[in-house]
Amino acid sequence: MASMEGFAAVFYSEPSVLGLLSNVISAFLVCLQNFSFAHTNIRPEGVENILAGVHLILIGGLSQLLAGFLAFRKYDHLGGTAFLAFAALWSSYGATRVISGAYPPLNNTTLASENATFLLHTDAAQLSTSESAVAGLVAYIFISFILSFCSATVNYIMPFVFGAITLTLVFEGVGLFGQWALVVSGVLELVIVVCGLYGAVALLFKGITQRYVLPGFGNPLFNVLLLGSANSGSSKTTGEEKKKNTKYAEPMALNHLCDTISPFIFAFYTFGYMKTFYVGAIWVSIISICQLFSSFYSYLRDDVYYTTKFGVHSLYWLVMSWEEFTLTVFISIDNVQQSRMGMIGDWFFLATACMLFLMAFNKDVLEVLQNAAFILLTISTIHQIPIRGAYVFFGVSCSLYTAISLYATFASLINSIGEKALIPVGAQVMSSSTLQSVLMSVKSYLMRSKNIPGATICEVPDALFYICNGLAAVSAIQGTLNDPIRQHLSIPSVLIPGAIFQLYVCRIQVQRGRRFGSVLPFCYAAIWATWTWLRFAGHLLNIDAASDGGFTAGSIAFLVVNIFLMVIASYSNLVLLCLTFVMEVLIICFLLFTVEHLPVPLENSKTRTPGPSRMSGPQSRSFTALRNVEMTKEDTKDPPPCFCPSSHRTSSLRSIANLLNEGAVCGVPTDTVYALAASCKQPEAIEKIYRIKDRPQEKPICIFISNLDQLRAAAPPFSPLLWEFMENVYPGGIGCIIKKGEWLKKLGVGAGYDRVGTKDSIMIRVPDQTVTVHLIDMTGPLAITSANPSGETDSTHHDMVISRLGHKLEGVLCDGESNEVVASTVVNCTKIDEGGITILREGCVPTAKVRQIFERVKNGDA
């Protein structure tokens, strides 16, 4: 069995060979694409881009990641930091290529902003790709410049490689907007190939012969000691650190590097240079994973402070990035401040940042300053603090934090290479013995005043374990039963720390053979993941009360397992015992939720208990039954604001049809989400829809018909291709925009002719739902738009329509949960015979499927 202490550094040979070759192959691949584009003027798209991206991720990313791991174990400060940084760079750039290939540009396509879009629109993906790539490339330009400068203090081959990478990034960024720059970039990439190959061969010979055969390594361009004299106040502490930890390279520079790139990308976003955070979330996530590796190597160096700090920073950037991803990609609604006001998870980050600030007082001034900037960063993301221009404040905080982290990267890397404090970082604020005395005094006071028994010794990962569960619990409280926006935004705050991050805690618990310690985070990660799956995302995954039996069985299993964990925790310490007890109560709440007997106030009180907790009830499909029972009881006291019959009765349909024929506006179910309906024969009712929704007059309203035969009877002048396409998409969740004409009056669109559609076109849809079709048969064509205030989320249950718009409507036809959670897909068919179709809004039917149908019809295969 291998020793836990690891191998001696000499056994790891020369990992720089693998790192340099990874950069060589990646640069050569991009070089070929750049020269090909310059020669043919055809930009790589589709499969070509996807394959290039996959190669960059596998070779430039994963292979170089392995080189970085081995360099850290070889006590190579520069190699470990540089290879992990460039692994993140190539992986991010590869992911950008994959996204560009997966979303080829569509011409004349615009993104509708009224309804939620749960798949990113193609043009939005293209725009986001360019913007985010620029933000990421600029950030890496600064980092690669620092790495190239620092490498000059080690040898005189890597400065040329890293310097060429720096210039390549500059021209790759310019090349996104000008073709000429890609030629320059291609030439620089050839420099990377030549210098990198020479360096790899030289190091390979050195590894084989154990001596330097080829020149370039062993002698630096200049001596690192020329950068400055050692600071006497800091050298002692640095020297003590070297004596304790010589098995692994210092990961501080890697962490500061990551803390430079993530806020830099966020600053670009918050200042308005990026419209969506789609690609940005991927870039930040990849560099945050590298930051997690810096936490892991701090753990291997037995440094509890840096293990916790680097882990918390990685967690913070992951949560922030995926929250913004959810907001800009899945929700796509501007007015979400009211929903975000109820989100309190950022307060936990602030508390954790303050704790790290206090723990840093035995470090240098730069460390304390960086922790203070991180406190400012966490304050800027707290939604309850009334700060005007909150996004600008966050951007300024990110910019300040980027500047401090950039200097810290340079200082820590140079000081690590020189093994002296050559770059000023300030003196030690407080001695370790003084800080320890203060903390022990506080502990003694608490134990005397509160009569708390002494606890057993805590291990290094315990802090991260409590932080992950605490953040997940606090974020869980922010969920609400009737705010789907907050429900979606809360998913990253619970899933990432509670499930994903705890697997990392489990891994480092295993590293030192703590068998019980690894069981706890693994089990609780499974519980948080299951909880989020059902409670926050159940309605998105079509999990209803009839299909959640597996969750009931799983909660019983978790209940039994946690009883054993409570027994074992009783032998550890009091805090852990309380934590497992609270978790037991919350598992019971989850079990009651799955059987629809959950007392929500009890659950809320338990998520507020310190330690791992459970989230309060976000809306999900299985919760709908419980909510309906509660509302049924309330209905006996407070009657609904309008007529609300059930869709299962023919008399209800006749009643709603009569209201519509008399000029009323009613909420009705469709095959996608709930809609507001008005008779096309009643123009005043159509105008009333605009007032009810506060809908801008320039946004047209579509019409629903019951079947395609109605359209044929009106004899519109459609081409055979358009008729065939409609045959294949009707009935269903696709609406076709066609040219307007007098034939609409034959269809039954009477006095409302001028109030539906635009002047030249109109969207027609045939719903694939029996209730709606029968209703249209009774009324004739209906003017339809989604049943929600303009700019807000779609209504997926009749209760949502009643609570939001019921006081403005004459009736709501109640049909329970909607079939979909997004609206229909809108296809422009006005130029189907000349230029094909364009997708104006991607909804419940994916763009790829619509295009597949069209190509089949066009080729005569339908």
Side-chain angles (χ1 to χ4, degrees):
M1 180 177 179
S3 169
M4 289 184 297
E5 299 301 319
F7 296 103
V10 70
F11 292 143
Y12 292 103
S13 186
E14 292 296 337
S16 297
V17 175
L18 178 60
L20 288 172
L21 287 178
S22 299
N23 283 301
V24 165
I25 298 173
S26 301
F28 186 66
L29 179 63
V30 178
C31 171
L32 291 179
Q33 281 199 320
N34 287 342
F35 284 147
S36 174
F37 176 44
H39 179 69
T40 63
N41 204 29
I42 300 176
R43 188 177 292 274
E45 293 179 355
V47 177
E48 182 182 353
N49 243 350
I50 294 175
L51 291 177
V54 171
H55 279 81
L56 290 177
I57 293 172
L58 293 178
I59 299 173
L62 296 181
S63 296
Q64 197 164 191
L65 188 69
L66 177 60
F69 288 162
L70 297 178
F72 263 108
R73 292 178 178 269
K74 195 175 172 63
Y75 199 62
D76 182 354
H77 306 294
L78 175 67
T81 303
F83 294 144
L84 284 179
F86 289 133
L89 168 63
W90 289 118
S91 297
S92 302
Y93 203 49
T96 305
R97 295 283 180 123
V98 171
I99 294 170
S100 299
Y103 292 92
L106 293 178
N107 297 323
N108 303 321
T109 307
T110 57
L111 180 63
S113 60
E114 179 186 354
N115 295 314
T117 53
F118 285 83
L119 291 173
L120 184 68
H121 193 276
T122 304
D123 278 0
Q126 285 290 319
L127 188 62
S128 173
T129 299
S130 300
E131 293 165 343
S132 301
V134 170
L137 290 175
V138 173
Y140 276 104
I141 287 170
F142 291 110
I143 295 302
S144 56
F145 175 77
I146 289 177
L147 292 173
S148 62
F149 180 84
C150 294
S151 64
T153 66
V154 179
N155 56 68
Y156 54 89
I157 294 298
M158 285 188 177
F160 289 99
V161 177
F162 296 164
I165 291 178
T166 304
L167 295 175
T168 297
L169 294 178
V170 173
F171 287 100
E172 282 289 328
V174 177
L176 293 172
F177 309 99
Q179 179 179 343
W180 65 269
L182 294 179
V183 178
V184 181
S185 176
V187 173
L188 291 169
E189 282 152 359
L190 288 179
V191 175
I192 299 173
V193 171
V194 173
C195 294
L197 274 176
Y198 176 82
V201 171
L203 287 174
L204 188 60
F205 279 129
K206 188 260 182 182
I208 295 173
T209 63
Q210 291 299 305
R211 62 188 181 88
Y212 292 108
V213 178
L214 297 176
F217 292 91
N219 296 307
L221 278 177
F222 64 90
N223 195 324
V224 69
L225 297 178
L226 296 176
L227 293 175
S229 58
N231 184 291
S232 58
S234 301
S235 58
K236 181 180 177 182
T237 340
T238 308
E240 290 173 354
E241 182 68 13
K242 297 297 177 188
K243 292 176 185 177
K244 291 187 291 184
N245 299 291
T246 56
K247 193 172 284 115
Y248 303 100
E250 292 184 358
M252 292 73 174
L254 177 62
N255 169 76
H256 298 320
L257 179 152
C258 300
D259 270 340
T260 301
I261 294 172
S262 295
F264 190 92
I265 295 175
F266 267 105
F268 254 71
Y269 168 67
T270 53
F271 288 139
Y273 293 102
M274 297 161 58
K275 301 302 184 295
T276 68
F277 210 67
Y278 182 26
V279 179
I282 296 175
W283 281 68
V284 173
S285 297
I286 291 174
I287 198 64
S288 297
I289 293 172
C290 282
Q291 194 165 25
L292 206 57
F293 293 141
S294 68
S295 172
F296 179 70
Y297 278 107
S298 297
Y299 173 72
L300 295 180
R301 293 164 56 89
D302 295 322
D303 193 328
V304 60
Y305 168 75
Y306 283 120
T307 302
T308 306
K309 177 192 172 181
F310 299 166
V312 168
H313 286 204
S314 173
L315 178 61
Y316 177 79
W317 295 121
L318 282 171
V319 171
M320 290 297 106
S321 62
W322 286 102
E323 182 180 313
E324 293 301 327
F325 171 85
T326 305
L327 176 64
T328 58
V329 175
F330 281 88
I331 297 178
S332 301
I333 296 176
D334 296 330
N335 187 17
V336 296
Q337 185 57 30
Q338 191 62 34
S339 297
R340 300 185 88 171
M341 284 293 289
M343 299 179 66
I344 59 176
D346 292 319
W347 286 96
F348 192 88
F349 275 121
L350 176 59
T352 306
C354 292
M355 177 194 72
L356 292 172
F357 176 74
L358 294 176
M359 293 299 103
F361 270 89
N362 67 330
K363 308 292 181 182
D364 52 63
V365 173
L366 181 61
E367 182 69 22
V368 175
L369 184 63
Q370 189 184 34
N371 281 334
F374 188 67
I375 291 177
L376 181 67
L377 199 62
T378 56
I379 291 174
S380 67
T381 55
I382 294 176
H383 306 294
Q384 291 78 20
I385 298 179
I387 301 175
R388 297 184 64 183
Y391 262 100
V392 176
F393 179 39
F394 181 44
V396 172
S397 302
C398 286
S399 302
L400 175 64
Y401 193 73
T402 298
I404 296 174
S405 298
L406 190 64
Y407 178 80
T409 302
F410 176 68
S412 57
L413 195 54
I414 288 294
N415 292 343
S416 296
I417 293 172
E419 300 197 350
K420 293 180 181 180
L422 300 172
I423 304 299
V425 293
Q428 192 176 13
V429 177
M430 181 187 296
S431 66
S432 299
S433 57
T434 304
L435 179 61
Q436 187 176 5
S437 299
V438 172
L439 295 177
M440 292 303 294
S441 300
V442 174
K443 176 184 176 183
S444 300
Y445 172 77
L446 291 175
M447 291 176 64
R448 287 196 306 271
S449 60
K450 302 296 183 181
N451 195 27
I452 299 176
T456 57
I457 297 175
C458 291
E459 296 289 337
V460 172
D462 289 347
L464 279 178
F465 171 70
Y466 290 117
I467 288 171
C468 288
N469 286 285
L471 175 61
V474 172
S475 301
I477 301 172
Q478 67 196 21
T480 178
L481 301 179
N482 52 8
D483 191 342
I485 295 178
R486 193 189 307 170
Q487 176 183 352
H488 296 155
L489 291 175
S490 298
I491 292 177
S493 304
V494 180
L495 185 63
I496 293 174
I500 300 173
F501 221 78
Q502 279 206 93
L503 294 178
Y504 164 67
V505 177
C506 178
R507 169 66 183 89
I508 61 178
Q509 293 274 20
V510 171
Q511 181 71 22
R512 292 296 169 86
R514 297 189 64 206
R515 292 173 177 81
F516 170 63
S518 62
V519 171
L520 268 176
F522 183 81
C523 291
Y524 289 170
I527 293 172
W528 282 116
T530 307
W531 187 283
T532 309
W533 187 0
L534 180 61
R535 296 296 303 275
F536 278 8
H539 65 293
L540 300 176
L541 302 173
N542 294 324
I543 302 174
D544 54 27
S547 60
D548 64 355
F551 291 94
T552 303
S555 60
I556 295 174
F558 285 139
L559 201 66
V560 175
V561 170
N562 198 62
I563 291 174
F564 288 99
L565 296 179
M566 288 175 57
V567 174
I568 301 174
S570 63
Y571 290 93
S572 181
N573 58 66
L574 182 61
V575 176
L576 191 60
L577 177 61
C578 294
L579 187 146
T580 53
F581 174 75
V582 173
M583 183 64 79
E584 186 73 7
V585 177
L586 293 172
I587 296 173
I588 293 174
C589 291
F590 185 63
L591 175 61
L592 293 175
F593 174 82
T594 61
V595 296
E596 302 173 28
H597 289 86
L598 171 64
V600 176
L602 169 64
E603 182 187 42
N604 276 335
S605 67
K606 293 305 172 186
T607 50
R608 288 177 172 86
T609 306
S613 319
R614 288 273 70 92
M615 46 193 88
S616 70
Q619 182 184 15
S620 68
R621 289 186 176 272
S622 55
F623 186 80
T624 304
L626 174 61
R627 183 183 59 190
N628 288 345
V629 172
E630 293 173 348
M631 294 193 67
T632 302
K633 295 178 181 177
E634 294 174 359
D635 287 347
T636 59
K637 301 177 183 179
D638 300 319
C642 61
F643 178 54
C644 301
S646 170
S647 64
H648 302 297
R649 297 177 180 176
T650 304
S651 58
S652 300
L653 265 69
R654 293 189 183 278
S655 300
I656 294 294
N658 291 336
L659 287 174
L660 291 171
N661 289 331
E662 292 169 2
V665 176
C666 297
V668 298
T670 71
D671 53 341
T672 54
V673 294
Y674 274 80
L676 297 183
S679 173
C680 289
K681 303 169 186 174
Q682 302 287 344
E684 295 81 6
I686 300 175
E687 286 295 327
K688 187 178 178 182
I689 287 181
Y690 282 94
R691 294 194 298 271
I692 290 173
K693 290 191 55 168
D694 294 325
R695 182 181 176 89
Q697 288 291 329
E698 62 269 13
K699 290 189 174 183
I701 289 180
C702 70
I703 65 171
F704 274 25
I705 59 177
S706 60
N707 56 69
L708 205 54
D709 291 335
Q710 282 186 320
L711 201 57
R712 289 195 182 92
F718 292 167
S719 67
L721 179 61
L722 178 56
W723 279 116
E724 190 65 27
F725 181 70
M726 287 183 169
E727 286 278 2
N728 281 267
V729 299
Y730 290 156
I734 298 175
C736 296
I737 296 179
I738 53 180
K739 293 180 180 179
K740 217 171 179 181
E742 290 297 319
W743 56 268
L744 276 172
K745 297 179 180 178
K746 299 179 182 178
L747 185 64
V749 179
Y753 176 86
D754 294 326
R755 289 176 172 82
V756 292
T758 65
K759 180 180 178 181
D760 304 314
S761 63
I762 188 171
M763 188 184 99
I764 297 180
R765 196 158 82 80
V766 180
D768 189 14
Q769 203 211 39
T770 305
V771 171
T772 315
V773 169
H774 284 330
L775 182 64
I776 296 171
D777 285 336
M778 297 178 184
T779 61
L782 292 176
I784 294 288
T785 184
S786 57
N788 56 281
S790 185
E792 295 187 14
T793 53
D794 296 318
S795 297
T796 56
H797 194 280
H798 62 257
D799 291 340
M800 294 178 68
V801 183
I802 295 171
S803 62
R804 299 159 96 182
L805 301 173
H807 59 288
K808 299 180 180 180
L809 303 176
E810 283 79 8
V812 175
L813 187 59
C814 300
D815 195 50
E817 200 80 33
S818 64
N819 296 326
E820 302 285 349
V821 292
V822 289
S824 60
T825 297
V826 179
V827 183
N828 188 346
C829 300
T830 55
K831 298 181 180 179
I832 191 171
D833 296 305
E834 296 90 359
I837 60 173
T838 54
I839 312 299
L840 296 190
R841 182 184 70 197
E842 187 169 30
C844 59
V845 181
T847 298
K849 184 175 180 180
V850 177
R851 292 198 167 278
Q852 185 181 19
I853 294 173
F854 175 70
E855 291 299 327
R856 191 174 66 242
V857 170
K858 185 178 178 181
N859 296 329
D861 299 331

